[in-house]
Amino acid sequence: MELAWVLEGLRWRPESELEAMLARAVEASGGTAWPSEDVRVAPGDEGARELHLMRGEDALVGTPGAKERSTVLARLHAWASRVPTR
């Protein structure tokens, strides 16, 4: 099955159904889900290749490719500006 088809199908699911599916996938894979309001994009050096999403002392670290980096940063900052702060 093509991943693009799966993603397109998920896009049309009601939010509550998608959230339940993601929760099951996280549980089945032994992962951890963080509420978006608890996560922040960690500040970093402009030249740093790694991107950090932080929740307390825990971090999710990724290294997007050079071509994807600007898109990833733009989306993370757009997402971070939408999330209400406590």
Side-chain angles (χ1 to χ4, degrees), residues 40-48 50-54 69 73 77:
R40 66 182 173 82
V41 178
D45 299 330
E46 286 300 315
E50 290 182 344
L51 298 176
H52 298 243
L53 297 179
M54 305 292 297
R69 184 170 172 73
L73 282 171
H77 289 296

Side-chain angles (χ1 to χ4, degrees), residues 1-11:
M1 176 161 293
E2 292 285 330
L3 178 59
W5 298 346
V6 173
L7 294 175
E8 183 65 19
L10 291 175
R11 185 173 157 225

Side-chain angles (χ1 to χ4, degrees), residues 16-65:
S16 61
E17 189 176 319
L18 180 59
E19 290 289 330
M21 291 169 72
L22 291 173
R24 287 193 306 270
V26 167
E27 184 178 338
S29 65
T32 301
W34 295 345
S36 58
E37 61 269 7
D38 292 350
V39 179
R40 66 182 173 82
V41 178
D45 299 330
E46 286 300 315
R49 294 183 59 217
E50 290 182 344
L51 298 176
H52 298 243
L53 297 179
M54 305 292 297
R55 180 179 182 230
E57 296 296 316
D58 295 327
L60 174 63
V61 180
T63 308

